[in-house]
Amino acid sequence: MKTSVIEKAKKIIDNRRFDAENEALKNKVKAFEDKTFKELYQDYTTKMIESCREGEALSSKVQNIKKRYQKRLKEIGIASIDPDYYCKKCNDSGYVEGKYCSCLIKEINNILKKESGFDRLEEFDKTDFSIFENADEMKKLYEKMKAWCHSKFDKNLIFIAGNTGVGKTHLIKCMANELINLNHVVLLTSSFAMHQDFVKSYSTRDLDEKSSLLDRYLNSEVLFIDDLGTELRQPNITINYLYQVINERKMNRLPTIITSNLDLYELKDYYDERISSRIIDKASSICIFVKGKDLRLVK
């Protein structure tokens, strides 16, 4: 995962927290202009400190004072002096029990979608199977892939092959959307865009940049590669880097989903046996061939 993506997402969360706390501070300053509220709040604070010193839970007296000052807030037209955080789980910190909160994961995914060019995703439940000539088969395939999204990813590489326009990209957009809704961090990229990063990584002498360009493909929780085989293949770059991505992700049990117009035989010829063998490994891979006509031509 690129550090810059995480930092951008954290900044969005931090800005939300700042806005919420700044608004609460403004409300508090305004509320303290009211003498009755100020006295009630100061009394509440004093009793709270006393209660903590004595090691007791909040007494009914303290609770009563709090209710009175909250009532006074309403009377003077102020909703609350407490921050109204966007995310109630983490109070806009981005973390819950040391782990990424779902709100931070959502922002990371939003940034990754924008950077990948796949802004608009699809939904399994809104797929119109009547457009497929093999509707029953496609429905079963979609159900199988949706079930995989909810699984433990024992099969951590899925290769979806088929002719142009049979619905492969639509399917992985549904899968990406489902995984995002399940709070997974997803990177959806085209083979062409990924290959451009391979070339940049190969060409640069800056070790940090070289590492950063590959990091997103090696370490994203779930990686989708669309249209493998459509990039301008450069054997000393494409094959070596692609093998590194597929192999390391397999070893680290990170899910990778690939679509391609190439079948398994063409895949071996276009790349090499190292790559094809990693993709068709029966122990950890699912290989699917989608049949049908070009839906774009049918439409």
Side-chain angles (χ1 to χ4, degrees):
M1 175 61 60
K2 286 175 70 174
T3 304
S4 60
V5 173
I6 299 173
E7 290 304 318
K8 286 178 185 177
K10 284 181 180 177
K11 188 173 182 179
I12 293 171
I13 302 299
D14 288 343
N15 286 340
R16 286 178 184 163
R17 185 175 69 252
F18 174 82
D19 289 343
E21 292 177 353
N22 191 46
E23 186 64 24
L25 180 60
K26 288 179 181 178
N27 287 342
K28 194 170 186 178
V29 170
K30 186 178 179 181
F32 264 65
E33 294 173 359
D34 181 80
K35 185 179 178 180
T36 302
F37 170 81
K38 186 176 180 179
E39 290 175 353
L40 285 169
Y41 189 79
Q42 288 175 338
D43 191 22
Y44 168 76
T45 305
T46 301
K47 293 294 189 298
M48 276 282 291
I49 295 171
E50 290 175 358
S51 178
C52 291
R53 284 175 179 171
E54 294 171 8
E56 298 176 359
L58 288 179
S59 66
S60 58
K61 188 174 182 180
V62 174
Q63 288 282 36
N64 183 51
I65 297 173
K66 185 175 182 178
K67 289 178 181 178
R68 287 169 62 197
Y69 90 61
Q70 287 176 334
K71 180 182 178 183
R72 183 58 183 168
L73 277 176
K74 292 180 181 179
E75 290 172 350
I76 60 177
I78 298 174
S80 176
I81 57 170
D82 298 318
D84 183 18
Y85 294 113
Y86 180 86
C87 179
K88 312 304 180 189
K89 294 179 184 177
C90 69
N91 288 341
D92 294 340
S93 69
Y95 296 88
V96 176
E97 296 180 354
K99 297 180 180 179
Y100 288 171
C101 181
S102 57
C103 68
L104 179 58
I105 291 173
K106 182 179 179 180
E107 294 307 327
I108 291 172
N109 280 320
N110 286 339
I111 294 168
L112 287 173
K113 282 191 287 183
K114 288 178 182 177
E115 289 189 355
S116 70
F118 287 90
D119 268 6
R120 185 173 177 275
L121 298 181
E122 309 291 349
E123 296 181 36
F124 277 112
D125 296 339
K126 292 184 179 180
T127 301
D128 179 10
F129 292 101
S130 66
I131 64 175
F132 300 107
E133 61 176 344
N134 52 341
D136 290 340
E137 290 180 22
M138 291 302 288
K139 190 171 183 180
K140 289 178 182 178
L141 173 59
Y142 274 62
E143 289 172 352
K144 182 178 181 180
M145 291 299 96
K146 185 175 182 179
W148 179 86
C149 291
H150 290 260
S151 73
K152 295 180 179 179
F153 309 138
D154 293 328
K155 300 282 188 177
N156 54 45
L157 189 143
I158 299 178
F159 181 72
I160 305 171
N163 295 327
T164 301
V166 295
K168 302 186 299 295
T169 301
H170 181 274
L171 174 56
I172 64 169
K173 283 184 175 182
C174 289
M175 294 173 70
N177 193 48
E178 191 75 11
L179 289 165
I180 288 171
N181 290 336
L182 292 169
N183 291 329
H184 293 289
V185 177
V186 171
L187 174 61
L188 183 58
T189 186
S190 67
S191 179
F192 177 80
M194 183 176 68
H195 184 261
Q196 285 185 312
D197 283 339
F198 288 169
V199 173
K200 289 177 186 176
S201 178
Y202 178 81
S203 304
T204 185
R205 294 182 180 180
D206 187 320
L207 295 179
D208 289 336
E209 183 184 7
K210 187 184 289 288
S211 175
S212 176
L213 286 164
L214 287 181
D215 179 69
R216 62 187 312 188
Y217 304 111
L218 293 171
N219 298 314
S220 289
E221 186 181 356
V222 185
L223 173 64
F224 287 85
I225 306 171
D226 194 33
D227 274 342
L228 188 69
T230 57
E231 74 284 349
L232 181 62
R233 185 186 57 164
Q234 296 172 258
N236 61 329
I237 299 176
T238 314
I239 293 175
N240 291 337
Y241 278 75
L242 180 60
Y243 177 76
Q244 182 184 355
V245 168
I246 292 175
N247 189 55
E248 287 195 26
R249 291 187 63 82
K250 266 191 168 284
M251 289 193 298
N252 293 324
R253 300 191 63 78
L254 293 173
T256 308
I257 300 88
I258 301 170
T259 73
S260 179
N261 296 340
L262 305 175
D263 63 28
L264 296 177
Y265 298 103
E266 293 168 332
L267 187 74
K268 182 178 178 181
D269 291 338
Y270 195 76
Y271 296 106
D272 65 11
E273 190 170 351
R274 290 185 307 158
I275 291 174
S276 63
S277 65
R278 299 305 284 152
I279 289 176
I280 64 175
D281 175 18
K282 291 182 179 179
S284 58
S285 300
I286 299 173
C287 295
I288 299 162
F289 187 80
V290 181
K291 301 176 183 178
K293 297 178 181 178
D294 189 332
L295 296 175
R296 286 168 287 193
L297 293 178
V298 173
K299 289 179 182 178

